[in-house]
Amino acid sequence: MKRENSLINTIIINSVFITIFTSLMILAAWIFTINARYSKEKRESKEKFMKQQKEMIRNEVEKSVEYINYTRERTEKILKEDIKERTNNAINGAENIYNKYKGKKSDREIKELIKEFMRNIRFNKERGYFFVISMDGTTEVTGATQQDEGKSILNVKDIKGKEFIKEFINIVKEKEEGYSEYYWIRPGGTKGERKISYIKLFKPYNWIIGTGEYIDDVTKDMQKECSERISKIRFGEDGYIFILTFDGVTVVNELNKNLVGVNIWDIEDINGVKIVQKEREAAEKPDGDYIYYSWHKPTTNKSEQKVSFVKGVKEWRWMVGAGLYIDDIEKELAKIEKKFEAEIKSGIINTV
């Protein structure tokens, strides 16, 4: 009887031992499987999040560049529409004066009233004015000053040798109005700049009335409009768009306004990285590129690691960029990691 009981006990103990050992082995296998699966998912999620963050700043830059290019391509169209409308308005004003005093004053008096009207018109930050030229090339009105009035400018050429006054005359003879493009040195300037004028025939006195604008002036106006709009863009917690010229002059940096207008071409981070020069390298690439460097973070008042995406607008010689601080990304990654650790723990408990 004792021997039988001993045998039974031995069988029970061995069975319990085998059961516990097998259960522990199964538990270990489950824990290993769960841990491996969650570790892979955690790694993939972190990589996905980092990619999403980089794509976000790239998309913001791409949208800004798209807006800049849209504005840039419209510059000449806007210029032409503006000078045409202003010329038509000036012609209407001259016609009103003529019709009002026709038969009441002499032609000489009416001409003087019209010329005075033209001299006093100013627009586009006072730089815009009207000119009046007779069909033989004699100047009637040259803007605010009268010193060149009465002189013949028929044979005047631009810096490329174009006789644009003769072109004015031919345009109004053929179709009464139109555009003319030439290169002219502005008052106080030293180089010839591209200029577009719109001219129209004033029939009562056979005058050519017109106005023009330098492309560079309109471009600067459009650049200012772009920079003001882009400076208001925000994304994420501290995301913003910055713009620098290819030479390193800050155009837009809303969080560091003290840098606007300052050339920071040689600026270095704490590790000696020449930031703007790396931005220029990225901007020279057709599709832009990511760069890594350290930059002052306003919220911590310390220099923190940053990743930025930079793309160039070569026609305006602008570098457009946006960035994220690595520590902000790491904070989000830590949240992801904590979430996965909780899920692993829950999985182990459920397995047990």
Side-chain angles (χ1 to χ4, degrees), residues 256-272:
N256 296 276
K257 293 183 179 180
N258 59 305
L259 295 178
V260 175
V262 178
N263 191 313
I264 56 172
W265 177 257
D266 291 316
I267 195 169
E268 296 181 355
D269 70 3
I270 57 174
N271 299 310

Side-chain angles (χ1 to χ4, degrees), residues 13 61 115 137 189 198 249 311 332:
I13 290 170
V61 171
K115 287 196 279 188
Y198 189 81
V249 178
K311 191 170 184 178
E332 293 301 319

